[in-house]
Amino acid sequence: MVLFVRPGPSGEWPSGALLLALVVMGLLVVYAALFIQAGYLLITALVSVAIAWLFGASPLKALVGGGAARPWQLCAVHLCVGHLATHR
């Protein structure tokens, strides 16, 4: 089923801060939908880069801030899982 969304006859498309909020909410819905299938690191890196870029970071800064920091999170996830697994 295809859902067409458009403003009413005298309505206008959202712009500015409202449009940004709607796009970020859409990204978070995609993030939640693909979290299990794509994996934590990949989908978190992609969404982090996209949100950083939407909020005004240059593409290089968005890639560094959103993508390059993800391997450190992998270490934190393994430490957390290991800690929880041994203290049940």
Side-chain angles (χ1 to χ4, degrees), residues 15-25 54-55:
S15 61
L18 178 59
L19 179 61
L20 180 63
L22 291 172
V23 171
V24 169
M25 285 176 25
L54 283 172
F55 277 93

Side-chain angles (χ1 to χ4, degrees), residues 6-85:
R6 57 185 121 160
S10 62
E12 295 181 13
W13 288 101
S15 61
L18 178 59
L19 179 61
L20 180 63
L22 291 172
V23 171
V24 169
M25 285 176 25
L27 278 172
L28 292 176
V29 168
V30 170
Y31 177 75
L34 296 177
F35 190 83
I36 300 297
Q37 290 81 9
Y40 169 75
L41 285 178
L42 177 64
I43 197 67
T44 301
L46 291 174
V47 170
S48 297
V49 168
I51 289 176
W53 181 69
L54 283 172
F55 277 93
S58 68
L60 179 62
K61 287 181 180 179
L63 282 172
V64 169
R70 298 303 152 221
W72 298 110
Q73 284 188 345
L74 180 62
C75 294
V77 169
H78 279 278
L79 290 174
C80 180
V81 170
H83 176 72
L84 292 176

